[in-house]
Amino acid sequence: MHVVDLNADVGEGFGRWELGDDDAVIATVTSANVACGFHAGDPSTMARSVTTALRHGVAIGAHVSYRDLAGFGRRYVDADEAELSGDVVYQLGALAGICRTLGARIGYVKPHGALYNTIAADDDRGRRHARAVLAALGRYDPTLPVVGLAGSVFLDAAREAGQPVVAEAFADRAYTPAGALVSRREPGSVLHDADEVAERMVRLVRTGTVEAVDGSTVPVAADSICVHGDSPGAVAMAQAVRGALTGAGVEVRSFAAGPQAG
């Protein structure tokens, strides 16, 4: 039987500003990537996300980011390795504190936005920031799984460092022929047809491939599929993907430890 995790970014509001229907999204997925305050989120928002994840038995992940609240974490920040490593630990500590007060625990880590894309790139700044993230995780908890783009050099580096890895595919994002995500600056980078996306993800799980923007077939071996919780129609998209996977005989469950503290 094929098995895959379904994750979504949640807790991405701030103060009185809310983004997405977190309750419905969390009820649909198996892992929830909770914003830790650097690209979105605040203590109250984090607590609500954790409480909802506990109620639904959904694994809790720390969605760590560059320090870029104004830009929603989608802008590259030229931090040195020590600074970035400290920022990652700081965010882990923030969410861990919230989790501890609610009887929950962090089950994994997933970088967000520009940080995610930077460390997936095989260039100097990507390697520097990948080292910073992995140094933070190694000091915080070397057994904590880290989520990264399937096929990326970041996952290779994480394996070499001894950090457990989770290869991720994106349900609602277009792929280049090289297996990278099409930049959000490009037209067609985000897919909106829920039925089409659901069909793509069934094919991905069954065959380990996805169709690129040029029509070519790209190999993508993924342990987890991300459905974005902040995009228009996010709930319907998540429900369509989960329904299609289940209907195709795929077991949808998290790779991570349960949300309750041991």
Side-chain angles (χ1 to χ4, degrees):
M1 178 182 288
H2 295 291
V3 179
V4 74
D5 172 60
L6 193 62
N7 78 76
D9 305 342
V10 301
E12 292 186 317
F14 187 81
R16 296 179 62 185
W17 180 62
E18 296 183 3
L19 180 65
D21 186 349
D22 280 356
D23 286 354
V25 169
I26 293 173
T28 305
V29 300
T30 50
S31 297
N33 318 316
V34 180
C36 299
F38 271 29
H39 75 280
D42 55 66
S44 296
T45 304
M46 284 190 278
R48 285 196 300 272
S49 299
V50 169
T51 299
T52 304
L54 280 169
R55 185 166 69 248
H56 292 287
V58 170
I60 297 164
H63 205 25
V64 298
S65 169
Y66 285 132
R67 190 190 295 264
D68 180 31
L69 192 58
F72 199 64
R74 289 182 175 162
R75 301 180 296 191
Y76 172 72
V77 175
D78 191 17
D80 64 36
E81 291 184 38
E83 179 184 6
L84 179 57
S85 187
D87 282 352
V88 171
V89 172
Y90 187 96
Q91 293 173 83
L92 288 167
L95 183 59
I98 296 292
C99 285
R100 182 173 180 177
T101 64
L102 297 171
R105 63 179 170 185
I106 295 175
Y108 64 97
V109 178
K110 177 184 169 180
H112 164 81
L115 178 59
Y116 184 100
N117 292 325
T118 296
I119 63 179
D122 189 12
D123 56 27
D124 179 64
R125 71 180 189 180
R127 287 187 289 271
R128 287 191 295 107
H129 283 190
R131 285 196 300 267
V133 171
L134 293 174
L137 298 183
R139 291 196 299 269
Y140 181 83
D141 184 351
T143 70
L144 203 59
V146 61
V147 177
L149 185 65
S152 67
V153 293
F154 172 69
L155 291 188
D156 293 336
R159 291 187 188 97
E160 291 176 7
Q163 201 78 31
V165 303
V166 178
E168 180 180 42
F170 286 81
D172 54 358
R173 292 292 302 277
Y175 279 78
T176 72
L181 299 179
V182 174
S183 170
R184 284 182 177 270
R185 299 185 183 91
E186 300 295 326
S189 62
V190 179
L191 310 179
H192 300 289
D193 186 318
D195 292 334
E196 176 192 355
V197 167
E199 183 180 338
R200 280 167 60 90
M201 291 304 98
V202 171
R203 175 186 175 187
L204 182 143
V205 173
R206 282 179 164 174
T207 69
T209 63
V210 69
E211 184 178 324
V213 288
D214 67 348
S216 62
T217 298
V218 179
V220 179
D223 307 304
S224 184
I225 294 170
C226 178
V227 288
H228 284 102
D230 63 335
S231 57
V235 175
M237 181 80 72
Q239 292 172 342
V241 170
R242 180 150 192 176
L245 290 170
T246 302
V250 176
E251 182 181 356
V252 182
R253 61 175 167 84
S254 182
F255 56 86
Q260 293 192 345

